[in-house]
Amino acid sequence: MSNPPHQANWLRLFLPFAAGYFLSYLFRTVNAVIGPVLARELNLADNALGLLTSTYFLAFGAAQLPLGMLLDRYGPRRVESALLLLAGTGVAVFAMSDTLGGLAIGRALIGLGVSACLMASFKAFALWFPPERQASLTGWVMAAGGLGALAASKPLEIAIGFTSWRVIALGFAVATVIVAAVIWFRVPDAHGEHKGAGFAEQLAGVKTVFSSRHFWRYAPMGLMMTGGFMAVQGLWASRWMMVLEHMDRAAVAVRLTWISGAMLAGFLFMGFFATGLVRRGVKLEKVYIGSMVAALISFALISLQPGFAGDLLWPILGICFSLSNIAYSLVSQAFPPSLSGRANTALNLLVFAGAFGLQWGIGGFVDLLQAQGWASEAAFRAAFLSLLGGQALALVWLVLPHRRT
């Protein structure tokens, strides 16, 4: 490992990657606010809107396995800066498109372009900071993502009141290119950094991860729980609040802000206390399972009783989602350091595959039920309850005694 940088270099090394993850999370959740605007302007059905929003997750997830190998071979500076240029192009395409196809292409380019933001951060921290600082740095960079989600809620809704979503998107494109340039020109490569293992050896490592029973113990939770929350938060939470709770756009934006703020609090909790809890003998797996049980209970109450304490239960769901990221540590700790990056990107692949499939699937399911004569409220409730059932099965799979390794 490289020598730790001087304290003066902390901002130089941390902030650029934090800015990248801020943008990644902003782009992930931005359609919760602009989605209804797009639907109205372009006359998009729920199925089309779900497909449009979920193309981000499809491209993001598809990039995860090759991304792990690229980061090991070429380093985070080169990989993330190049991909962020692609993301900036995608935002510009999205801003200038008038058709569903053009918007979907833009979203896909954005998803591919920001696919390295979190994993490149992990890689950079491993190169430049000592092991005892990894937990806090992970919490802080995820907090930057929470700030991105916050920016994509009430502040974005206010901005749309002053200008068009296209102008805002072009501004995001410029910001993305600036972050890419900062990472390329200001972030150093690690001293003595060399190319990692060859392609065949790295591919063998990927096979090792996917053949592990430990990995598959957590994989369904990543697919259904983490991916499911991302699908809901990124689009369907706002539609649910409008249809089931009869909230207007401004009220929905306030609710989304509370959810994002709760997520940020959860990330900060990880940053400040995760290492201390482990030192005190508290197992992170217990924290993870407990938070997932709380998430299921909250989501069940939201689905069955939409008007019951929504202002409290949705933020609780946000806190639980932020703690679901503990799964990355729980998965990677079973593998040697040389495989930890590929273990994390493998789990990320399933998380984003779930986010894509579930976000599109909810829209398709709602449209199908409505075509058969179901009311909108009943169709959305059925979709949420179906997701809840899948998440409950994943949790049962996780805690089954015979799956323990």
Side-chain angles (χ1 to χ4, degrees):
M1 179 178 292
S2 305
N3 292 329
H6 297 296
Q7 188 65 29
N9 284 337
W10 187 87
L11 296 180
R12 178 187 180 194
L13 293 166
F14 174 81
L15 279 186
F17 290 105
Y21 194 52
F22 172 93
L23 290 172
S24 175
Y25 226 109
L26 184 149
F27 294 142
R28 184 184 304 177
T29 57
V30 70
N31 271 17
V33 171
I34 70 170
V37 180
L38 289 174
R40 184 175 62 252
E41 287 189 8
L42 303 178
N43 194 27
L44 299 177
D46 284 330
N47 183 38
L49 189 60
L51 173 62
L52 167 62
T53 305
S54 61
T55 51
Y56 170 102
F57 297 125
L58 177 63
F60 194 113
Q64 290 306 299
L65 293 184
L67 173 64
M69 294 187 283
L70 288 171
L71 286 171
D72 285 341
R73 189 165 181 83
Y74 296 107
R77 180 182 72 89
R78 296 178 177 89
V79 173
E80 182 164 356
S81 58
L83 286 177
L84 280 176
L85 289 178
L86 189 63
T89 301
V91 180
V93 170
F94 187 87
M96 295 184 290
S97 295
D98 293 312
T99 65
L100 177 62
L103 292 169
I105 291 172
R107 282 288 291 178
L109 289 173
I110 295 168
L112 180 60
V114 299
S115 63
C117 289
L118 183 59
M119 298 299 139
S121 300
F122 290 168
K123 181 71 175 180
F125 299 158
L127 288 171
W128 283 103
F129 293 92
E132 61 269 18
R133 297 192 64 186
Q134 299 301 310
S136 61
L137 287 167
T138 297
W140 283 112
V141 79
M142 288 183 170
L147 289 174
L150 268 175
S153 52
K154 186 61 179 179
L156 178 60
E157 194 268 340
I158 293 173
I160 289 177
F162 288 95
T163 186
S164 73
W165 64 269
R166 296 183 188 275
V167 172
I168 294 170
L170 287 173
F172 289 157
V174 172
T176 305
V177 172
I178 291 173
V179 173
V182 169
I183 292 174
W184 178 263
F185 290 109
R186 298 296 298 167
V187 173
D189 287 323
H191 296 301
E193 184 179 352
H194 59 278
K195 291 185 178 180
F199 178 77
E201 185 178 344
Q202 290 196 353
L203 201 58
V206 172
K207 182 179 179 181
T208 298
V209 172
F210 276 100
S211 62
S212 164
R213 290 185 67 186
H214 177 83
F215 173 80
W216 285 108
R217 183 184 170 212
Y218 292 93
M221 286 293 288
L223 186 78
M224 296 301 301
M225 187 66 77
T226 309
F229 181 85
M230 288 164 56
V232 170
Q233 184 205 19
L235 179 61
W236 297 119
S238 60
R239 293 284 287 130
W240 172 274
M241 294 168 196
M242 290 178 178
V243 173
L244 274 294
E245 300 185 55
H246 309 292
M247 298 169 64
D248 60 25
R249 194 177 73 181
V252 168
V254 172
R255 175 78 62 76
L256 293 175
T257 302
W258 279 110
I259 297 172
S260 299
M263 285 173 50
L264 177 60
F267 290 138
L268 291 174
F269 171 84
M270 289 175 59
F272 281 116
F273 300 113
T275 302
L277 287 174
V278 172
R279 288 173 178 170
R280 288 170 173 80
V282 178
K283 293 185 177 180
L284 287 182
E285 184 181 49
K286 290 185 177 180
V287 177
Y288 175 68
I289 293 175
S291 63
M292 294 303 95
V293 171
L296 273 181
I297 294 172
S298 299
F299 193 49
L301 289 173
I302 288 169
S303 301
L304 294 171
Q305 299 290 334
F308 173 72
D311 287 331
L312 173 65
L313 294 177
W314 279 105
I316 288 177
L317 204 57
I319 293 175
C320 294
F321 167 72
S322 66
L323 297 178
S324 74
N325 289 281
I326 295 172
Y328 289 100
S329 297
L330 296 174
V331 167
S332 63
Q333 69 185 9
F335 299 94
S338 59
L339 281 178
S340 61
R342 274 160 284 180
N344 280 333
T345 52
L347 182 61
N348 230 21
L349 167 64
L350 294 181
V351 166
F352 280 86
F356 165 76
L358 293 169
Q359 192 168 80
W360 186 15
I362 288 172
F365 190 43
V366 168
D367 281 349
L368 176 64
L369 294 179
Q370 288 178 328
Q372 294 179 351
W374 288 50
S376 296
E377 293 87 348
F380 272 101
R381 181 179 281 110
F384 272 36
L385 288 173
S386 298
L387 173 59
L388 178 67
Q391 292 175 332
L393 289 175
L395 183 60
V396 170
W397 177 264
L398 173 69
V399 300
L400 281 177
H402 73 271
R403 295 304 302 175
R404 296 191 177 279
T405 56

